[in-house]
Amino acid sequence: MKTWLFTSESVTEGHPDKMADQISDAILDSLLLQDRDSRVAVETLLATGVAVVAGEVSTKAYVDIPRVVRDTILDIGYNRAKYGFDGETCAVLTSIDEQSPDIALGVDKSVEAKANNLDRYDLIGAGDQGMMFGYATDETPEMMPLPIVLAHRLALRLTEVRKEGIVSGFRPDGKTQVTVKYRDEVPVGVSAIVVSTQHDPDLSREEIEDLVVKNVISPVIDDALLLEGVEVFVNPTGRFVKGGPAADTGLTGRKIIVDTYGGWIPHGGGAFSGKDPTKVDRSAHYMARYAAKNIVAAGLAKRVTLQLAYAIGVAKPVSFMIDTHGTETIDIETLEKAVLKVFDFRPGAIIDRLDLKRPIYKKTAAYGHFGRVDIDLPWERIDMVEELKKAVD
């Protein structure tokens, strides 16, 4: 009987890297709201007293970027100088240029379109090369690995108790971490929990630990999940007053493992936030998750990993891989054919299927892009189950 421990982490929306992600996606949403065809690749850098926004944008929209930046920071909760960062008084610097015409050349008219292929989905080429992964498992209702599910729940709860006034003295920055014991591929319980929260200087470590255990950990993790001897660490350094960009530089795209599956499967390396859906770094990851989730929901496998790879300017993926980790309920070749019949992985088809030219991205920029039950995301729907079942008959 094989046993092992696996750990995943999450961060709150006040973590500087997550602040950067939310700002980049807030800008993207604002542009898509006015112009659905906006091409956007925006990065945000946060440091003490300053937010720097840089990137490439081609759009018909006009957006007051500094105002979007400030509103996002204020909504997160950095609205007082004593927190180390204030959305009203911080400097906002912008450096935005147009999208490279060399990139636009391949996206606007793909290799297939240039070869006179008449399929409309061949008109849009991939916005970059790269590989993307999707995953689903039946071990949780969210069809996500249990460690990242619990880490996200703790991070979200940490923010809820602060914003809803359930606990006073907590500040926006925070991190969570959960270690789960597995036996023969099945989670059996939690062996360690780490929660760190920024706080007012007059709160003692003992007070913080009591508040976190009672108001954050206990409501999220059922006692039945806690293994005997479970270790719980709350603010293990003893003090976390200075946080956010004043304590650590924030940058878009530095929390890609938090954004996805908590390290459970490989990651292609591309970040999501600040990118419009022609960028397959974002849209193809979403489609791979959508396909994987429907495969598991259809009972065709208990766990499945998909990999896609693209060449810039080419609509069709250059490779497709499906790994069911030995849990498939039908012949793997039949499953592969069914998936490729039901799901179209060309960028134009992905955008249409998931209706991605909408301002839906800021809400994904904290607490994960996958397994969300608090918001309705098109790639989390299991509406292709019957189509898959028909395809394998």
Side-chain angles (χ1 to χ4, degrees):
M1 188 175 289
K2 184 181 178 183
T3 64
W4 71 90
L5 301 177
F6 193 89
T7 301
S8 293
E9 71 161 355
S10 184
V11 297
T12 66
E13 61 197 53
H15 185 282
D17 291 331
K18 272 288 140 218
M19 292 175 66
D21 286 341
Q22 290 166 90
I23 290 168
S24 294
D25 273 340
I27 293 168
L28 171 63
D29 279 356
S30 298
L31 291 165
L32 290 175
L33 188 62
Q34 296 181 41
D35 179 4
R36 287 171 56 91
D37 293 319
S38 296
R39 297 283 171 79
V40 184
V42 171
E43 313 288 342
T44 304
L45 169 71
L46 295 164
T48 304
V50 64
V52 180
V53 177
E56 296 77 42
V57 173
S58 295
T59 184
K60 296 175 183 176
Y62 171 75
V63 170
D64 184 348
I65 290 178
R67 188 68 262 165
V68 173
V69 173
R70 295 185 189 282
D71 287 346
T72 304
I73 294 167
L74 292 169
D75 182 61
I76 289 167
Y78 283 109
N79 52 17
R80 302 182 69 179
K82 73 175 186 177
Y83 292 169
F85 206 78
D86 181 357
E88 288 290 4
T89 61
C90 69
V92 179
L93 307 177
T94 62
S95 179
I96 304 292
D97 205 347
E98 284 190 322
Q99 182 188 45
S100 163
D102 296 338
I103 295 175
L105 187 67
V107 177
D108 294 336
K109 193 170 185 180
S110 69
V111 168
E112 292 92 334
K114 291 167 188 172
N116 297 317
N117 188 316
L118 298 179
D119 190 324
R120 67 189 180 98
Y121 289 134
D122 281 333
L123 296 177
I124 299 176
D128 203 352
Q129 69 177 52
M131 58 279 192
M132 298 81 202
F133 291 88
Y135 180 76
T137 173
D138 67 354
E139 72 180 68
T140 63
E142 296 89 346
M143 297 189 189
M144 292 284 286
L146 183 59
I148 190 65
V149 168
L150 295 178
H152 281 324
R153 286 182 190 170
L154 288 173
L156 183 57
R157 180 62 181 172
L158 197 54
T159 295
E160 286 174 348
V161 299
R162 172 178 62 87
K163 284 190 164 182
E164 294 175 12
I166 297 170
V167 170
S168 60
F170 286 4
R171 294 181 178 179
D173 198 355
K175 300 182 76 172
T176 63
Q177 184 174 287
V178 177
T179 301
V180 173
K181 182 178 182 179
Y182 282 79
R183 182 178 295 120
D184 289 342
E185 309 290 343
V186 177
V188 295
V190 174
S191 66
I193 301 167
V194 183
V195 178
S196 296
T197 179
Q198 187 186 9
H199 59 89
D200 289 350
D202 56 347
L203 279 178
S204 69
R205 181 177 178 180
E206 291 73 20
E207 289 174 309
I208 295 165
E209 185 170 351
D210 183 63
L211 289 169
V212 167
V213 170
K214 287 182 179 177
N215 297 283
V216 178
I217 297 175
S218 292
V220 167
I221 301 182
D222 192 286
D223 286 347
L225 269 179
L226 301 178
L227 296 174
E228 185 177 354
V230 60
E231 295 182 290
V232 178
F233 302 94
V234 177
N235 282 23
T237 63
R239 182 176 171 86
F240 187 5
V241 173
K242 189 174 183 180
D248 189 13
T249 302
L251 187 65
T252 300
R254 273 208 303 217
K255 287 291 177 283
I256 57 176
I257 299 304
V258 172
D259 285 342
T260 53
Y261 304 97
W264 190 267
I265 65 166
H267 193 291
F272 301 162
S273 292
K275 297 177 182 177
D276 75 83
T278 66
K279 278 73 172 176
V280 283
D281 274 344
R282 179 165 223 156
S283 55
H285 267 109
Y286 292 165
M287 194 64 169
R289 162 65 175 173
Y290 180 54
K293 191 171 182 182
N294 277 271
I295 291 166
V296 173
L300 303 178
K302 294 172 69 66
R303 297 188 306 280
V304 62
T305 301
L306 270 67
Q307 189 207 44
L308 301 165
Y310 293 83
I312 187 167
V314 181
K316 293 180 180 178
V318 297
S319 76
F320 168 80
M321 181 276 291
I322 183 166
D323 182 1
T324 57
H325 310 282
T327 68
E328 70 274 9
T329 58
I330 61 168
D331 177 78
I332 192 70
E333 238 180 70
T334 302
L335 178 58
E336 286 179 356
K337 289 177 182 177
V339 172
L340 290 173
K341 179 180 179 181
V342 172
F343 298 97
D344 191 334
F345 294 101
R346 291 172 293 175
I350 294 172
I351 290 168
D352 275 5
R353 164 64 67 180
L354 301 179
D355 193 13
L356 295 180
K357 290 186 175 183
R358 296 180 290 143
I360 59 173
Y361 298 107
K362 181 188 173 186
K363 56 190 175 184
T364 69
Y367 314 112
H369 292 246
F370 307 125
R372 300 291 292 272
V373 295
D374 56 319
I375 53 179
D376 179 27
L377 297 173
W379 53 88
E380 289 299 309
R381 296 171 188 163
I382 47 174
D383 52 2
M384 300 302 289
V385 168
E386 294 306 316
E387 292 295 320
L388 275 170
K389 288 180 178 178
K390 288 177 187 175
V392 299
D393 283 344

